Amino acid sequence: MFNQIVCFLLLSVLDSYARTIRSDPYITCLETAADPCHITLSVKISDSTDTVQIIMIANASTFYGVGFGRRIMNLTYAIIALGDGTIQERQLGDHNAGALLPSSLLAVSNTVYEGIRTVQIYRSTVGLNGSYYTFSTNDLVIPIIYSFSLTSSTLRYHGPTSRNSTNLTFIELADRDYLLAEKNENLNIFLNSNCNCDHYSYILTRFCFCDYCYTAPKIIEVEYNQITSIKFVNETFGNGECENFSLDYNDYYTIEGLFDYINSTIYSEPEFYTINYDDECGYPTYIYYDGSPLIIDEEYTWYISNFTCLSDDDDDDDTRHGWWSSEDSDSSKYSRHSHKRKHSSSSSHSSSSSSSSSSSSSSSGSSSSY
């Protein structure tokens, strides 16, 4: 009897777990004999909102469509975009257009740019009736069919080379609550670790569609939770092609500032968000952000590496990483020994680090994708 109760409780927890899954790759090319990527498809299914997001991209002047849940036309639920911008839901027939269904779609965007139509729509995961496909986050593989016309704006026979079928595969995403809990856990690990020192530095490397001087690796030096210095890892950048580049301190973060930044971006609910944290000290080592697959060039990647606690009274190591300028050698020396900064925290998490108070590992202990 006890085992039955435990099993019931476990099943209840699993049933109540809100999952979000997305097609993998998120932007999936639907290949046919006529064109290897005439239609691209993106699907995201969420338990927390009970919605499915579908993005279809193809030629704007002709029709295209995707059917879900089956590999044959007969009785398959399909979403079709016509050349005039009309979006239809249909239950297809046996090699014919079948029946037009009442719309259950919310069209968020239906735009045309340089001859390409992008349709972003939402609908409930549960179909209105048996003629509609019901999406589920338990289905990590969904069979689909698809077709398009190279000439017709209205729904008609697509021809033998402009149709195909495949399996759409999905991966599970971490939800916002999980990402926030993981961030809080790693923040507490950092605050209670030997890496939480008064004086430290790290290297920030950014990848984005930005100015080269902005993305070039930089040494961020922090003292008492304030940035005191930003320098190019490669000194010649600061004296050459990036000499006039403004190093705005507001564009950079302390380690605790990085945690605040992660918190705010999680709440912005980006389409893709991956964060890796250091095994020993909990600070972030990798951040990938993509706010929307429909926006070009706004995604970015940050690498946080070579974290080192610094000290002003140890002169054994001032050229350890090979990138400190000679002007620094007289004013301060760099060491792996610095006292831990006191921080009031009620967390029970603590780092099991050794007597070394520095971590220069770029490996990720915990990581999540949103």
Side-chain angles (χ1 to χ4, degrees):
M1 181 65 178
F2 175 76
N3 289 337
Q4 290 176 327
I5 294 174
V6 171
C7 288
F8 173 77
L9 291 173
L10 286 174
L11 288 173
S12 298
V13 170
L14 290 174
D15 287 341
S16 64
Y17 173 59
R19 304 176 76 194
T20 299
I21 62 173
R22 67 161 173 84
S23 48
D24 181 38
Y26 190 56
I27 306 296
T28 302
C29 278
L30 304 183
E31 182 177 1
T32 67
D35 193 324
C37 195
H38 187 90
I39 306 173
T40 58
L41 176 69
S42 306
V43 179
K44 184 177 179 181
I45 307 170
S46 173
D47 284 339
S48 60
T49 58
D50 291 324
T51 59
V52 54
Q53 177 200 63
I54 299 171
I55 301 172
M56 302 192 305
I57 305 172
N59 189 294
S61 61
T62 56
F63 88 82
Y64 59 95
V66 179
F68 296 89
R70 296 165 66 87
R71 281 181 171 268
I72 60 174
M73 285 184 64
N74 195 33
L75 301 180
T76 294
Y77 166 80
I79 299 174
I80 298 165
L82 302 181
D84 65 359
T86 302
I87 309 300
Q88 295 183 346
E89 293 173 277
R90 305 187 76 95
Q91 186 179 49
L92 301 177
D94 188 7
H95 298 286
N96 61 68
L100 181 65
L101 300 174
S103 179
S104 66
L105 305 176
L106 171 64
V108 175
S109 176
N110 187 344
T111 60
V112 176
Y113 178 71
E114 295 187 347
I116 301 299
R117 182 179 303 282
T118 299
V119 176
Q120 182 179 3
I121 52 180
Y122 284 83
R123 52 149 280 193
S124 172
T125 52
V126 178
L128 293 180
N129 56 48
S131 298
Y132 299 75
Y133 181 70
T134 290
F135 294 87
S136 171
T137 56
N138 293 321
D139 298 330
L140 297 181
V141 178
I142 298 177
I144 62 171
I145 60 174
Y146 49 93
S147 68
F148 60 90
S149 173
L150 293 172
T151 59
S152 177
S153 63
T154 58
L155 188 59
R156 56 173 292 179
Y157 178 57
H158 40 66
T161 62
S162 300
R163 60 174 173 82
N164 209 346
S165 64
T166 190
N167 284 329
L168 193 63
T169 59
F170 290 80
I171 59 171
E172 184 173 0
L173 305 179
D175 64 14
R176 185 178 70 181
D177 290 341
Y178 179 86
L179 287 171
L180 289 171
E182 183 186 50
K183 183 271 301 182
N184 290 333
E185 178 181 7
N186 280 281
L187 173 58
N188 285 328
I189 290 174
F190 173 73
L191 293 177
N192 289 281
S193 74
N194 288 328
C195 293
N196 183 25
C197 43
D198 291 325
H199 191 190
Y200 62 84
S201 68
Y202 70 88
I203 295 178
L204 175 66
T205 304
R206 288 166 161 161
F207 293 93
C208 58
F209 294 92
C210 310
D211 183 274
Y212 176 73
C213 296
Y214 180 81
T215 60
K218 298 177 185 67
I219 308 155
I220 314 300
E221 186 174 344
V222 176
E223 193 164 4
Y224 296 104
N225 208 31
Q226 297 290 324
I227 295 177
T228 58
S229 174
I230 302 174
K231 300 175 183 177
F232 289 97
V233 170
N234 186 333
E235 296 174 16
T236 60
F237 291 169
N239 298 321
E241 57 188 297
C242 298
E243 183 176 3
N244 296 321
F245 178 76
S246 175
L247 289 171
D248 186 350
Y249 280 31
N250 291 323
D251 290 336
Y252 301 88
Y253 299 89
T254 66
I255 293 297
E256 289 182 50
L258 283 172
F259 280 107
D260 291 337
Y261 177 81
I262 290 169
N263 191 80
S264 64
T265 49
I266 288 174
Y267 274 106
S268 73
E269 297 189 346
E271 288 292 336
F272 302 118
Y273 202 22
T274 301
I275 314 164
N276 295 350
Y277 297 91
D278 182 74
D279 276 320
E280 181 182 357
C281 291
Y283 59 83
T285 58
Y286 173 88
I287 300 172
Y288 173 77
Y289 176 96
D290 186 355
S292 170
L294 299 178
I295 302 175
I296 299 174
D297 297 349
E298 95 321 340
E299 62 270 19
Y300 60 79
T301 302
W302 294 359
Y303 288 93
I304 295 91
S305 62
N306 295 75
F307 180 94
T308 306
C309 284
L310 306 176
S311 174
D312 294 333
D313 57 3
D314 194 332
D315 60 359
D316 63 350
D317 203 6
D318 56 325
T319 59
R320 181 177 58 259
H321 295 296
W323 37 249
W324 298 105
S325 63
S326 58
E327 65 188 45
D328 294 320
S329 59
D330 294 330
S331 59
S332 62
K333 303 297 180 181
Y334 303 92
S335 169
R336 294 183 178 273
H337 304 285
S338 179
H339 67 280
K340 175 179 169 183
R341 181 159 55 91
K342 295 184 182 295
H343 193 286
S344 59
S345 174
S346 59
S347 168
S348 60
H349 295 287
S350 62
S351 171
S352 58
S353 60
S354 65
S355 59
S356 171
S357 62
S358 167
S359 173
S360 59
S361 170
S362 61
S363 65
S364 57
S366 55
S367 65
S368 293
S369 298
Y370 187 48

Short mmCIF file of all heavy atoms in Angstrom, two decimals, residues 90-142:
data_model
loop_
_atom_site.label_atom_id
_atom_site.label_comp_id
_atom_site.label_asym_id
_atom_site.label_seq_id
_atom_site.Cartn_x
_atom_site.Cartn_y
_atom_site.Cartn_z
N ARG A 90 -6.70 23.33 -42.39
CA ARG A 90 -7.49 22.38 -43.17
C ARG A 90 -7.27 20.97 -42.63
O ARG A 90 -6.22 20.65 -42.06
CB ARG A 90 -7.10 22.41 -44.65
CG ARG A 90 -7.16 23.78 -45.30
CD ARG A 90 -6.92 23.70 -46.79
NE ARG A 90 -8.10 23.18 -47.49
CZ ARG A 90 -9.04 23.94 -48.04
NH1 ARG A 90 -8.96 25.26 -47.96
NH2 ARG A 90 -10.07 23.39 -48.65
N GLN A 91 -8.29 20.13 -42.82
CA GLN A 91 -8.10 18.70 -42.69
C GLN A 91 -8.03 18.16 -44.11
O GLN A 91 -9.02 18.19 -44.85
CB GLN A 91 -9.22 18.01 -41.91
CG GLN A 91 -8.92 16.53 -41.68
CD GLN A 91 -10.01 15.82 -40.88
OE1 GLN A 91 -11.18 15.94 -41.20
NE2 GLN A 91 -9.60 15.09 -39.84
N LEU A 92 -6.84 17.73 -44.49
CA LEU A 92 -6.62 17.35 -45.87
C LEU A 92 -7.39 16.08 -46.24
O LEU A 92 -7.67 15.23 -45.37
CB LEU A 92 -5.12 17.14 -46.12
CG LEU A 92 -4.23 18.36 -45.86
CD1 LEU A 92 -2.77 18.00 -46.06
CD2 LEU A 92 -4.63 19.54 -46.75
N GLY A 93 -7.68 15.95 -47.52
CA GLY A 93 -8.34 14.76 -48.02
C GLY A 93 -7.34 13.80 -48.63
O GLY A 93 -6.11 13.95 -48.50
N ASP A 94 -7.86 12.77 -49.30
CA ASP A 94 -7.01 11.78 -49.95
C ASP A 94 -6.55 12.34 -51.28
O ASP A 94 -7.25 12.27 -52.30
CB ASP A 94 -7.80 10.48 -50.14
CG ASP A 94 -6.93 9.33 -50.64
OD1 ASP A 94 -5.69 9.52 -50.70
OD2 ASP A 94 -7.48 8.28 -50.97
N HIS A 95 -5.37 12.98 -51.26
CA HIS A 95 -4.80 13.64 -52.43
C HIS A 95 -5.68 14.77 -52.93
O HIS A 95 -5.78 15.03 -54.14
CB HIS A 95 -4.54 12.62 -53.56
CG HIS A 95 -3.56 11.55 -53.19
ND1 HIS A 95 -2.21 11.78 -53.09
CD2 HIS A 95 -3.76 10.25 -52.85
CE1 HIS A 95 -1.60 10.67 -52.73
NE2 HIS A 95 -2.52 9.73 -52.58
N ASN A 96 -6.30 15.48 -51.99
CA ASN A 96 -7.05 16.69 -52.34
C ASN A 96 -7.01 17.66 -51.17
O ASN A 96 -6.51 17.33 -50.08
CB ASN A 96 -8.49 16.35 -52.74
CG ASN A 96 -9.26 15.68 -51.64
OD1 ASN A 96 -9.57 16.29 -50.61
ND2 ASN A 96 -9.61 14.40 -51.84
N ALA A 97 -7.53 18.87 -51.40
CA ALA A 97 -7.42 19.95 -50.41
C ALA A 97 -8.22 19.70 -49.15
O ALA A 97 -7.99 20.35 -48.13
CB ALA A 97 -7.85 21.27 -51.04
N GLY A 98 -9.18 18.77 -49.19
CA GLY A 98 -9.95 18.44 -47.99
C GLY A 98 -10.87 19.56 -47.56
O GLY A 98 -11.38 20.34 -48.37
N ALA A 99 -11.06 19.68 -46.25
CA ALA A 99 -12.05 20.62 -45.69
C ALA A 99 -11.36 21.79 -44.99
O ALA A 99 -10.42 21.59 -44.21
CB ALA A 99 -12.95 19.89 -44.71
N LEU A 100 -11.87 23.01 -45.26
CA LEU A 100 -11.42 24.20 -44.55
C LEU A 100 -11.98 24.18 -43.13
O LEU A 100 -13.17 23.96 -42.93
CB LEU A 100 -11.88 25.45 -45.28
CG LEU A 100 -11.46 26.80 -44.69
CD1 LEU A 100 -9.95 26.98 -44.74
CD2 LEU A 100 -12.17 27.94 -45.42
N LEU A 101 -11.12 24.42 -42.13
CA LEU A 101 -11.54 24.38 -40.73
C LEU A 101 -11.70 25.80 -40.18
O LEU A 101 -11.01 26.73 -40.62
CB LEU A 101 -10.49 23.63 -39.90
CG LEU A 101 -10.20 22.18 -40.27
CD1 LEU A 101 -9.03 21.65 -39.44
CD2 LEU A 101 -11.43 21.30 -40.07
N PRO A 102 -12.57 25.98 -39.19
CA PRO A 102 -12.62 27.27 -38.48
C PRO A 102 -11.26 27.57 -37.86
O PRO A 102 -10.60 26.67 -37.32
CB PRO A 102 -13.69 27.03 -37.41
CG PRO A 102 -14.52 25.92 -37.94
CD PRO A 102 -13.60 25.03 -38.70
N SER A 103 -10.85 28.82 -37.93
CA SER A 103 -9.50 29.16 -37.47
C SER A 103 -9.38 29.08 -35.96
O SER A 103 -10.24 29.59 -35.22
CB SER A 103 -9.13 30.56 -37.94
OG SER A 103 -7.83 30.90 -37.47
N SER A 104 -8.32 28.46 -35.50
CA SER A 104 -7.97 28.44 -34.07
C SER A 104 -6.65 29.17 -33.85
O SER A 104 -6.05 29.06 -32.77
CB SER A 104 -7.86 27.00 -33.57
OG SER A 104 -6.77 26.32 -34.18
N LEU A 105 -6.19 29.90 -34.86
CA LEU A 105 -4.86 30.51 -34.85
C LEU A 105 -4.90 31.97 -34.41
O LEU A 105 -5.85 32.69 -34.72
CB LEU A 105 -4.23 30.43 -36.24
CG LEU A 105 -4.12 29.06 -36.88
CD1 LEU A 105 -3.57 29.18 -38.30
CD2 LEU A 105 -3.25 28.14 -36.04
N LEU A 106 -3.84 32.38 -33.72
CA LEU A 106 -3.58 33.79 -33.44
C LEU A 106 -2.34 34.17 -34.23
O LEU A 106 -1.24 33.69 -33.95
CB LEU A 106 -3.35 34.02 -31.94
CG LEU A 106 -2.87 35.42 -31.55
CD1 LEU A 106 -3.93 36.47 -31.90
CD2 LEU A 106 -2.52 35.49 -30.06
N ALA A 107 -2.53 35.01 -35.25
CA ALA A 107 -1.41 35.44 -36.09
C ALA A 107 -0.71 36.61 -35.42
O ALA A 107 -1.25 37.72 -35.36
CB ALA A 107 -1.90 35.81 -37.48
N VAL A 108 0.49 36.38 -34.92
CA VAL A 108 1.27 37.43 -34.27
C VAL A 108 1.99 38.28 -35.30
O VAL A 108 2.14 39.49 -35.15
CB VAL A 108 2.26 36.81 -33.27
CG1 VAL A 108 3.17 37.88 -32.67
CG2 VAL A 108 1.52 36.06 -32.19
N SER A 109 2.44 37.63 -36.38
CA SER A 109 3.19 38.34 -37.41
C SER A 109 2.98 37.65 -38.74
O SER A 109 2.97 36.42 -38.81
CB SER A 109 4.68 38.37 -37.04
OG SER A 109 5.45 38.97 -38.06
N ASN A 110 2.80 38.46 -39.79
CA ASN A 110 2.68 37.94 -41.15
C ASN A 110 3.30 38.98 -42.06
O ASN A 110 2.64 39.91 -42.52
CB ASN A 110 1.20 37.69 -41.49
CG ASN A 110 1.00 37.00 -42.83
OD1 ASN A 110 1.91 36.94 -43.66
ND2 ASN A 110 -0.19 36.47 -43.04
N THR A 111 4.59 38.85 -42.29
CA THR A 111 5.35 39.90 -42.96
C THR A 111 6.03 39.37 -44.21
O THR A 111 6.33 38.18 -44.32
CB THR A 111 6.41 40.49 -42.02
OG1 THR A 111 7.31 39.45 -41.61
CG2 THR A 111 5.77 41.10 -40.78
N VAL A 112 6.30 40.29 -45.13
CA VAL A 112 7.01 39.96 -46.36
C VAL A 112 8.23 40.87 -46.46
O VAL A 112 8.11 42.10 -46.33
CB VAL A 112 6.12 40.14 -47.60
CG1 VAL A 112 6.92 39.88 -48.87
CG2 VAL A 112 4.92 39.21 -47.54
N TYR A 113 9.39 40.26 -46.67
CA TYR A 113 10.62 41.04 -46.83
C TYR A 113 11.44 40.40 -47.95
O TYR A 113 11.77 39.22 -47.89
CB TYR A 113 11.43 41.05 -45.54
CG TYR A 113 12.74 41.80 -45.64
CD1 TYR A 113 12.77 43.19 -45.76
CD2 TYR A 113 13.95 41.12 -45.66
CE1 TYR A 113 13.96 43.88 -45.86
CE2 TYR A 113 15.15 41.80 -45.76
CZ TYR A 113 15.15 43.18 -45.85
OH TYR A 113 16.35 43.87 -45.98
N GLU A 114 11.72 41.19 -48.98
CA GLU A 114 12.50 40.75 -50.14
C GLU A 114 11.93 39.45 -50.72
O GLU A 114 12.66 38.51 -51.06
CB GLU A 114 13.97 40.58 -49.77
CG GLU A 114 14.64 41.90 -49.40
CD GLU A 114 16.14 41.76 -49.18
OE1 GLU A 114 16.62 40.61 -49.09
OE2 GLU A 114 16.82 42.81 -49.12
N GLY A 115 10.60 39.39 -50.83
CA GLY A 115 9.94 38.27 -51.47
C GLY A 115 9.74 37.05 -50.61
O GLY A 115 9.24 36.02 -51.09
N ILE A 116 10.08 37.13 -49.33
CA ILE A 116 9.96 35.99 -48.41
C ILE A 116 8.90 36.31 -47.36
O ILE A 116 8.96 37.36 -46.70
CB ILE A 116 11.30 35.66 -47.72
CG1 ILE A 116 12.37 35.34 -48.78
CG2 ILE A 116 11.14 34.51 -46.76
CD1 ILE A 116 12.04 34.14 -49.64
N ARG A 117 7.93 35.41 -47.22
CA ARG A 117 6.89 35.60 -46.21
C ARG A 117 7.25 34.84 -44.93
O ARG A 117 7.57 33.64 -44.98
CB ARG A 117 5.53 35.09 -46.71
CG ARG A 117 4.40 35.34 -45.68
CD ARG A 117 3.05 34.85 -46.19
NE ARG A 117 2.71 35.48 -47.46
CZ ARG A 117 2.23 36.72 -47.57
NH1 ARG A 117 2.04 37.45 -46.48
NH2 ARG A 117 1.93 37.21 -48.76
N THR A 118 7.19 35.52 -43.79
CA THR A 118 7.40 34.92 -42.48
C THR A 118 6.10 35.00 -41.70
O THR A 118 5.58 36.09 -41.47
CB THR A 118 8.52 35.63 -41.71
OG1 THR A 118 9.74 35.53 -42.44
CG2 THR A 118 8.70 35.00 -40.33
N VAL A 119 5.60 33.86 -41.31
CA VAL A 119 4.34 33.77 -40.57
C VAL A 119 4.64 33.24 -39.17
O VAL A 119 5.25 32.17 -39.02
CB VAL A 119 3.34 32.83 -41.28
CG1 VAL A 119 2.08 32.67 -40.43
CG2 VAL A 119 2.99 33.36 -42.66
N GLN A 120 4.27 34.00 -38.16
CA GLN A 120 4.40 33.55 -36.77
C GLN A 120 3.01 33.46 -36.16
O GLN A 120 2.31 34.47 -36.07
CB GLN A 120 5.28 34.50 -35.95
CG GLN A 120 5.47 34.03 -34.50
CD GLN A 120 6.36 34.98 -33.70
OE1 GLN A 120 6.78 35.99 -34.20
NE2 GLN A 120 6.62 34.63 -32.46
N ILE A 121 2.62 32.27 -35.76
CA ILE A 121 1.28 32.05 -35.25
C ILE A 121 1.33 31.26 -33.94
O ILE A 121 2.28 30.54 -33.66
CB ILE A 121 0.41 31.28 -36.28
CG1 ILE A 121 1.13 30.01 -36.74
CG2 ILE A 121 0.05 32.17 -37.46
CD1 ILE A 121 0.37 29.20 -37.75
N TYR A 122 0.27 31.43 -33.16
CA TYR A 122 0.08 30.67 -31.93
C TYR A 122 -1.29 29.98 -31.99
O TYR A 122 -2.23 30.49 -32.62
CB TYR A 122 0.11 31.58 -30.70
CG TYR A 122 1.47 32.06 -30.29
CD1 TYR A 122 2.06 33.16 -30.92
CD2 TYR A 122 2.17 31.42 -29.28
CE1 TYR A 122 3.32 33.61 -30.55
CE2 TYR A 122 3.44 31.87 -28.90
CZ TYR A 122 3.99 32.96 -29.54
OH TYR A 122 5.23 33.40 -29.17
N ARG A 123 -1.40 28.86 -31.33
CA ARG A 123 -2.70 28.24 -31.11
C ARG A 123 -2.58 27.37 -29.87
O ARG A 123 -1.49 27.09 -29.36
CB ARG A 123 -3.17 27.41 -32.29
CG ARG A 123 -2.24 26.39 -32.83
CD ARG A 123 -2.95 25.18 -33.43
NE ARG A 123 -3.37 24.26 -32.37
CZ ARG A 123 -3.78 23.02 -32.62
NH1 ARG A 123 -3.86 22.56 -33.85
NH2 ARG A 123 -4.12 22.22 -31.61
N SER A 124 -3.72 26.97 -29.35
CA SER A 124 -3.75 26.09 -28.19
C SER A 124 -3.12 24.75 -28.55
O SER A 124 -3.24 24.28 -29.68
CB SER A 124 -5.19 25.90 -27.71
OG SER A 124 -5.25 24.91 -26.71
N THR A 125 -2.44 24.15 -27.58
CA THR A 125 -1.87 22.83 -27.83
C THR A 125 -2.96 21.80 -28.13
O THR A 125 -2.76 20.88 -28.93
CB THR A 125 -1.03 22.35 -26.63
OG1 THR A 125 -1.82 22.45 -25.43
CG2 THR A 125 0.23 23.19 -26.48
N VAL A 126 -4.13 21.96 -27.51
CA VAL A 126 -5.23 21.02 -27.70
C VAL A 126 -6.10 21.51 -28.86
O VAL A 126 -6.54 22.66 -28.88
CB VAL A 126 -6.08 20.87 -26.43
CG1 VAL A 126 -7.26 19.92 -26.66
CG2 VAL A 126 -5.21 20.37 -25.28
N GLY A 127 -6.36 20.63 -29.83
CA GLY A 127 -7.17 21.00 -30.97
C GLY A 127 -8.62 21.21 -30.60
O GLY A 127 -9.13 20.67 -29.61
N LEU A 128 -9.33 22.02 -31.42
CA LEU A 128 -10.74 22.30 -31.15
C LEU A 128 -11.59 21.04 -31.18
O LEU A 128 -12.57 20.92 -30.44
CB LEU A 128 -11.27 23.31 -32.17
CG LEU A 128 -10.69 24.73 -32.11
CD1 LEU A 128 -11.31 25.60 -33.19
CD2 LEU A 128 -10.92 25.35 -30.74
N ASN A 129 -11.24 20.12 -32.05
CA ASN A 129 -11.94 18.83 -32.13
C ASN A 129 -11.02 17.83 -32.82
O ASN A 129 -9.82 18.11 -33.03
CB ASN A 129 -13.28 18.96 -32.86
CG ASN A 129 -13.15 19.56 -34.24
OD1 ASN A 129 -12.30 19.14 -35.02
ND2 ASN A 129 -13.98 20.56 -34.56
N GLY A 130 -11.54 16.69 -33.19
CA GLY A 130 -10.72 15.64 -33.76
C GLY A 130 -10.13 15.94 -35.12
O GLY A 130 -9.24 15.22 -35.58
N SER A 131 -10.60 17.00 -35.76
CA SER A 131 -10.04 17.38 -37.06
C SER A 131 -8.73 18.14 -36.93
O SER A 131 -8.01 18.33 -37.93
CB SER A 131 -11.05 18.24 -37.84
OG SER A 131 -12.23 17.52 -38.11
N TYR A 132 -8.43 18.62 -35.73
CA TYR A 132 -7.22 19.38 -35.46
C TYR A 132 -6.18 18.48 -34.80
O TYR A 132 -6.53 17.56 -34.05
CB TYR A 132 -7.50 20.57 -34.54
CG TYR A 132 -8.47 21.58 -35.08
CD1 TYR A 132 -9.84 21.32 -35.12
CD2 TYR A 132 -8.03 22.81 -35.54
CE1 TYR A 132 -10.74 22.25 -35.61
CE2 TYR A 132 -8.92 23.76 -36.03
CZ TYR A 132 -10.27 23.46 -36.07
OH TYR A 132 -11.15 24.40 -36.56
N TYR A 133 -4.91 18.78 -35.03
CA TYR A 133 -3.85 18.03 -34.35
C TYR A 133 -3.67 18.59 -32.94
O TYR A 133 -3.68 19.80 -32.72
CB TYR A 133 -2.53 18.15 -35.12
CG TYR A 133 -1.40 17.38 -34.50
CD1 TYR A 133 -1.38 16.00 -34.52
CD2 TYR A 133 -0.35 18.04 -33.86
CE1 TYR A 133 -0.35 15.28 -33.94
CE2 TYR A 133 0.69 17.33 -33.29
CZ TYR A 133 0.69 15.95 -33.33
OH TYR A 133 1.72 15.24 -32.74
N THR A 134 -3.52 17.71 -31.97
CA THR A 134 -3.23 18.11 -30.60
C THR A 134 -1.74 17.91 -30.33
O THR A 134 -1.21 16.80 -30.46
CB THR A 134 -4.05 17.29 -29.60
OG1 THR A 134 -5.43 17.69 -29.69
CG2 THR A 134 -3.57 17.53 -28.16
N PHE A 135 -1.06 19.01 -29.98
CA PHE A 135 0.37 18.98 -29.70
C PHE A 135 0.61 18.62 -28.24
O PHE A 135 -0.17 19.00 -27.35
CB PHE A 135 1.00 20.34 -29.99
CG PHE A 135 0.98 20.74 -31.44
CD1 PHE A 135 -0.14 21.39 -31.97
CD2 PHE A 135 2.05 20.47 -32.25
CE1 PHE A 135 -0.16 21.77 -33.31
CE2 PHE A 135 2.03 20.84 -33.60
CZ PHE A 135 0.93 21.49 -34.12
N SER A 136 1.69 17.91 -27.98
CA SER A 136 2.02 17.51 -26.61
C SER A 136 3.53 17.58 -26.42
O SER A 136 4.30 17.19 -27.31
CB SER A 136 1.54 16.09 -26.32
OG SER A 136 2.04 15.62 -25.08
N THR A 137 3.95 18.06 -25.24
CA THR A 137 5.38 18.10 -24.94
C THR A 137 5.93 16.71 -24.67
O THR A 137 7.15 16.55 -24.52
CB THR A 137 5.64 19.00 -23.71
OG1 THR A 137 4.87 18.53 -22.60
CG2 THR A 137 5.29 20.44 -24.00
N ASN A 138 5.07 15.71 -24.59
CA ASN A 138 5.55 14.33 -24.44
C ASN A 138 5.99 13.74 -25.77
O ASN A 138 6.64 12.69 -25.79
CB ASN A 138 4.44 13.45 -23.84
CG ASN A 138 4.12 13.83 -22.41
OD1 ASN A 138 5.02 14.16 -21.63
ND2 ASN A 138 2.85 13.81 -22.06
N ASP A 139 5.63 14.39 -26.87
CA ASP A 139 5.98 13.89 -28.20
C ASP A 139 7.24 14.61 -28.69
O ASP A 139 7.17 15.75 -29.17
CB ASP A 139 4.83 14.12 -29.18
CG ASP A 139 3.57 13.37 -28.78
OD1 ASP A 139 3.69 12.30 -28.17
OD2 ASP A 139 2.47 13.88 -29.09
N LEU A 140 8.37 13.95 -28.58
CA LEU A 140 9.64 14.55 -29.02
C LEU A 140 9.93 14.26 -30.48
O LEU A 140 10.95 14.72 -31.01
CB LEU A 140 10.79 14.05 -28.13
CG LEU A 140 10.70 14.45 -26.66
CD1 LEU A 140 11.90 13.93 -25.89
CD2 LEU A 140 10.55 15.96 -26.49
N VAL A 141 9.06 13.51 -31.12
CA VAL A 141 9.14 13.28 -32.57
C VAL A 141 7.73 13.39 -33.13
O VAL A 141 6.82 12.69 -32.67
CB VAL A 141 9.74 11.90 -32.91
CG1 VAL A 141 9.75 11.69 -34.42
CG2 VAL A 141 11.15 11.76 -32.36
N ILE A 142 7.53 14.28 -34.10
CA ILE A 142 6.23 14.45 -34.74
C ILE A 142 6.40 14.27 -36.24
O ILE A 142 7.17 15.02 -36.87
CB ILE A 142 5.63 15.85 -34.46
CG1 ILE A 142 5.39 16.04 -32.96
CG2 ILE A 142 4.33 16.04 -35.22
CD1 ILE A 142 4.87 17.44 -32.60
#
